[in-house]
Amino acid sequence: MATVVYPGTFDPITNGHLDIAIRAARLFDKVIIGVYDTPDKRLLFSTAERLELVKKSVADRPNIEVTIFTGMTVDFAIDMGAKSLVRGLRRSSDFEREFEMELMNKKQCPDLELVCLMSSLQYQFLSSSLLKEVASLGGNIDSLVPAPVAEALIEKLHTRE
Ligand code: ADP
């Protein structure tokens, strides 16, 4: 069974992330979305909240699982029984970053492969950080995120005021 790990911060998950996960789920038997439990305190959502929002967003996808991970992504992928990672590419700056990270990952774990999927046209401009900025300014985000994420964002931004 071919398992792929899709790692990320997902602060919060957007339709761009979801599109990559769904397309990967057509290529692999199982996709494990790894929500990175980062020590970075500048995130809007806690690790538990980010996990919950990803879970709600893929609840109807039987071959997509979600779990939290800490530490090295390569170690997490090997523990999960994956032979590859999947990442999304929106523009050339994503490529530079992913390429650099991949070379380091290969040093750590030569047998793990990276599969990059190009972002769908309608999500090429979409990032979690831009989404949070638009949401905080009262912009319409309904077509950019799954419904539970839109609700959570509004609630979170209200409680911060
Ligand atoms: P990280 O902090 O690890 O980059 P992110 O949650 O920002 O975590 O992104 C996880 C992955 O999803 C990355 O490979 C990123 O390039 C990809 N991604 C983010 N937004 C989009 C999008 N709109 N379309 C396609 N891929 C995306």
Side-chain angles (χ1 to χ4, degrees), residues 6-10 16-17 20 87-90 94 97-98 119 123 126:
Y6 181 24
T9 311
F10 305 107
H17 292 124
I20 297 292
R87 299 278 288 175
L89 295 183
R90 285 159 294 183
D94 278 353
R97 188 163 152 257
E98 296 298 339
S119 174
Y123 303 127
L126 182 56

